[in-house]
Amino acid sequence: MVARDLLGCILVRRDGTHVLSGRIVEVEAYTQNDPASHSFRGRTPRNDVMFQAGGVLYVYFTYGMHFCANVVTGPEGRGEAVLLRAVEPVEGIDVMRTRRNRLDTELANGPAKLCQAFDLGRAQNGLSLVGPEIQILPGRRILSKDILRTPRIGVTAGQEKLWRFVLEEKTPRRHRGNATENE
DNA sequence: AGGGAGATTTTCT
DNA sequence: GAAAATCTCCCTA
């Protein structure tokens, strides 16, 4: 599964003025035969990008006020993607502070927060992840024992699938959701 | 520190 | 017309 491989990778965002980056620490997988997925009921104008060949960014608008970003992972026509739920800010933290106006632990620890910090919106839907604006680079090697699997957040269907992956290293970082906190 | 409710609009039934 | 891959504020302990 591609979702696990994205954990620990570095999300890089260039907007002409700044370079932002963050280490991916939480993701969720969505496939076409999955009732919780936008692609479950077929291709529509909204989820069209999700059905494109992998390597592009699928950004959708939800709850009337938020954006969420996915990495499209399937071949053309299959409707597979991995939702980027949280990153640990690495570069451009000052810019993220300005955009988020929150504590440092709250800069990008949720899918919509991440989009606000990295300025991902409609304009970035369908962008190539190999292009200059957005890239995903390999990060430091991670251990599979540090990966926690849980049900996905905010979905009503498909709760039995443990398709949320959280990178839980000894680094004391706060995350949303029901991850086990040993502290 | 943790839980509950409101915000707000696109999308599909 | 209802639900939505969520966040923030405000309340209580």
Side-chain angles (χ1 to χ4, degrees):
Chain A
M1 229 175 209
V2 187
R4 275 188 290 263
D5 300 332
L6 283 170
L7 286 177
C9 289
I10 307 296
L11 175 70
V12 181
R13 169 85 169 111
R14 284 178 248 274
D15 62 5
T17 322
H18 303 289
V19 179
L20 307 180
S21 67
R23 186 159 174 265
I24 300 172
V25 294
E26 182 181 342
V27 296
E28 284 177 2
Y30 289 89
T31 62
Q32 189 168 4
N33 63 344
D34 161 22
S37 173
H38 288 170
S39 56
F40 184 63
R41 290 178 173 79
R43 201 165 181 163
T44 68
R46 180 205 197 188
N47 61 25
D48 182 78
V49 171
M50 197 172 168
F51 284 83
Q52 294 180 16
V56 296
L57 195 73
Y58 167 49
V59 182
Y60 67 87
F61 183 71
T62 190
Y63 289 107
M65 56 185 88
H66 295 302
F67 291 100
C68 296
N70 298 247
V71 173
V72 178
T73 56
E76 162 74 30
R78 283 224 49 214
E80 278 183 20
V82 175
L83 172 67
L84 300 176
R85 288 194 61 86
V87 307
E88 282 178 6
V90 176
E91 298 170 85
I93 297 180
D94 49 337
V95 179
M96 299 185 199
R97 284 194 188 109
T98 305
R99 288 178 180 162
R100 295 274 307 131
N101 194 30
R102 291 289 178 279
L103 300 176
D104 282 6
T105 54
E106 301 285 321
L107 291 179
N109 63 335
K113 300 176 185 180
L114 183 159
C115 282
Q116 197 183 346
F118 281 74
D119 186 31
L120 300 174
R122 280 183 221 290
Q124 282 71 42
N125 189 30
L127 270 192
S128 167
L129 291 166
V130 186
E133 297 192 55
I134 303 176
Q135 287 179 343
I136 291 182
L137 308 176
R140 202 181 83 243
R141 183 183 169 78
I142 65 171
L143 305 171
S144 52
K145 75 172 181 62
D146 291 329
I147 301 180
L148 181 70
R149 297 180 54 151
T150 81
R152 291 167 295 180
I153 304 292
V155 301
T156 52
Q159 281 290 338
E160 74 286 356
K161 295 180 168 65
L162 300 181
W163 284 1
R164 172 171 175 255
F165 302 88
V166 185
L167 183 58
E168 281 286 348
E169 294 176 330
K170 31 188 172 175
T171 338
R173 276 269 170 273
R174 291 181 44 86
H175 301 300
R176 289 188 71 262
N178 43 8
T180 53
E181 281 285 334
N182 298 330
E183 200 46 55

